[in-house]
Amino acid sequence: MQLKFIFLFFLMATTFASCQQGAKKSSESENLAVQVAGLDFPATVQPIEKTEEEWKSELTDQEFYVLRKAGTEYAFSGDLWDNKKEGVYTCRGCQLPLFSSATKYRSGTGWPSFYEPIKDAYIGEDVDYKIGYKRTEVHCARCDGHLGHVFPDGPQPTGLRYCINSVSLDFVANEAEEEEEMEKP
């Protein structure tokens, strides 16, 4: 009887230790950087809070209007809607990586469109009724900058269309893409 008790106790202790170690590994892996296009980005999102004056001093008038006041640039007017280079699209307000060129597609709307973010946790969502009907607004999870909207009419595999203002984004080209550009006469 005593031997069974010792064996049972040993089995429970081993199982508990294994679970703790698994939880620790899971927690550690969540804190590892996300690597996209050869670039390392943070795996966690620490919120950035700045005053309106700080944002105004760091952003152009158009960037401030879109990112901080939830404005929209005119269709086909942004510098990234027709970008075909390979790389990563980051938040113009805080440089958090938001979308990969691998998930960008031509939607015909005049804004950069993506079917999936790099990491779901990098994108926040709110309900928006600004033009009279319900839409899902998307914003940067780190700086709360307005990006655009997401619609359920995108391509597979997600069926989503993240319709994003170019002025809300910066583009970081893949290293190979940058080298090709430098080699051109």
Side-chain angles (χ1 to χ4, degrees):
M1 176 75 166
Q2 198 173 21
L3 189 58
K4 284 183 184 180
F5 178 74
I6 292 171
F7 177 74
L8 183 59
F9 178 78
F10 175 75
L11 184 62
M12 288 174 33
T14 305
T15 303
F16 178 76
S18 176
C19 289
Q20 291 287 58
Q21 192 172 28
K24 183 178 178 184
K25 283 182 183 175
S26 174
S27 175
E28 287 171 0
S29 67
E30 289 173 7
N31 291 325
L32 293 174
V34 172
Q35 190 171 60
V36 180
L39 302 170
D40 289 323
F41 296 101
T44 58
V45 179
Q46 285 289 352
I48 291 176
E49 294 181 22
K50 297 180 182 182
T51 66
E52 189 166 318
E53 292 306 313
E54 288 174 311
W55 284 118
K56 279 184 180 178
S57 72
E58 294 175 18
L59 302 171
T60 67
D61 290 345
Q62 180 72 0
E63 291 167 353
F64 183 80
Y65 168 69
V66 173
L67 283 163
R68 308 314 311 164
K69 299 298 181 183
T72 301
E73 67 191 2
Y74 291 111
F76 304 100
S77 69
D79 62 340
L80 296 173
W81 76 270
D82 199 26
N83 182 26
K84 295 175 179 69
K85 295 179 182 176
E86 291 183 18
V88 176
Y89 293 84
T90 64
C91 174
R92 178 124 346 137
C94 70
Q95 300 310 306
L96 185 68
L98 301 173
F99 300 97
S100 167
S101 61
T103 64
K104 187 175 190 274
Y105 70 99
R106 180 174 228 132
S107 67
T109 62
W111 291 280
S113 297
F114 307 87
Y115 62 80
E116 180 176 51
I118 286 176
K119 190 169 182 179
D120 289 339
Y122 290 176
I123 303 289
E125 295 184 358
D126 289 314
V127 175
D128 171 359
Y129 289 98
K130 289 180 185 155
I131 61 171
Y133 63 91
K134 182 180 178 180
R135 298 183 299 172
T136 304
E137 177 203 1
V138 291
H139 59 267
C140 173
R142 180 157 60 186
C143 73
D144 201 35
H146 172 75
L147 302 171
H149 294 84
V150 62
F151 301 95
D153 60 2
Q156 293 306 314
T158 66
L160 298 174
R161 173 175 51 99
Y162 287 86
C163 192
I164 308 298
N165 291 285
S166 287
V167 74
S168 297
L169 301 172
D170 279 327
F171 179 73
V172 180
N174 285 358
E175 290 174 10
E177 186 90 24
E178 286 179 358
E179 288 173 14
E180 283 180 28
E181 286 293 316
M182 292 175 67
E183 291 174 7
K184 289 182 181 177

